[in-house]
């Protein structure tokens, strides 16, 4: 059942046990930190680079969520060789995700061929609620949909767990 889309921060704050993010694109919308990375700035080192306000808000939300005992997992399915965007994501993942308490795994797309996957990126909250994200072909934001339909949630949960089981932990994945 599709419902109105809740505020994302409120949705994440409502998580009691788990918040899982599945990312399946090789590039997304332009990002100022990505631009800085491409220009050679040390965006992965806190002592050398101040993240924008939006990133600081995200960091606070993740810390708050993890502190409540919610397990946050992020799985990324990526083409290889990776795009510059994925190379950048990998470069900032330790600081931007892992250091905050998220668990992150990477799955080369060639290892996902036999998995049944949803058609869009998503957040799965407590294996009960799904927030699908839509992007245009060039990675720009196009919208989202909230879904609590048990069959959809089950499909998403199964897909996420399959990706997670095959995924390579961030500390072991090399771009």
């Amino acid at each position: 059942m599709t419902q109105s889309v809740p505020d994302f921060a409120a949705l994440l704050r409502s998580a009691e046990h788990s918040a899982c993010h599945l990312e399946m694109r090789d590039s997304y919308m332009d990002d100022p930190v990505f631009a800085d990375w491409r220009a050679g700035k040390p965006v992965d080192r806190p002592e050398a680079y101040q993240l924008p306000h939006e990133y600081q808000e995200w960091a606070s939300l993740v810390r708050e969520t993890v502190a409540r005992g919610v397990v946050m997992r992020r799985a990324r399915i990526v083409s290889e060789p990776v795009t510059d965007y994925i190379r950048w994501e990998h470069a900032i993942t330790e600081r931007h995700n892992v250091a905050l308490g998220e668990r992150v795994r990477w799955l080369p797309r060639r290892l996902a061929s036999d998995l049944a996957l949803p058609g869009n990126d998503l957040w799965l909250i407590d294996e009960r609620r799904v927030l699908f994200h839509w992007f245009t072909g060039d990675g720009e934001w196009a919208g989202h949909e909230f879904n609590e339909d048990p069959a959809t949630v089950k499909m998403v949960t199964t897909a996420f767990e399959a990706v997670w089981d095959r995924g390579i932990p961030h500390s072991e994945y090399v771009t």
Side-chain angles (χ1 to χ4, degrees), residues 84-131:
D84 281 348
Y85 193 96
I86 296 300
R87 190 171 292 105
W88 163 68
E89 276 193 331
H90 189 271
I92 67 166
T93 291
E94 183 63 38
R95 174 182 182 189
H96 186 63
N97 304 99
V98 175
L100 302 175
E102 280 190 72
R103 301 171 189 176
V104 179
R105 290 191 181 178
W106 303 81
L107 180 64
R109 194 170 309 283
R110 65 185 162 72
L111 300 178
S113 296
D114 62 341
L115 298 179
L117 298 169
N120 296 291
D121 287 13
L122 59 90
W123 277 92
L124 172 64
I125 306 295
D126 291 332
E127 296 182 6
R128 294 182 302 143
R129 296 165 288 169
V130 180
L131 181 62

Side-chain angles (χ1 to χ4, degrees), residues 16-27:
E16 297 174 0
H17 307 288
S18 63
C20 302
H21 191 189
L22 181 59
E23 298 177 33
M24 299 182 287
R25 296 184 52 86
D26 289 318
S27 66

Side-chain angles (χ1 to χ4, degrees), residues 9 29-30 43 52 59 62 68 72 79 98 124 154 164 168 174:
M29 60 200 104
D30 287 333
V43 300
V62 172
R68 291 193 334 269
M72 290 187 68
S79 299
V98 175
L124 172 64
K154 181 179 180 184
W164 188 258
I168 301 164
V174 178

Side-chain angles (χ1 to χ4, degrees), residues 7-16 57 60-61 64-65 68 70 125 129:
D7 171 75
F8 180 74
L11 181 64
L12 196 54
R13 285 185 174 110
S14 76
E16 297 174 0
E57 288 178 351
S60 294
L61 183 58
E64 169 192 321
T65 303
R68 291 193 334 269
V70 174
I125 306 295
R129 296 165 288 169

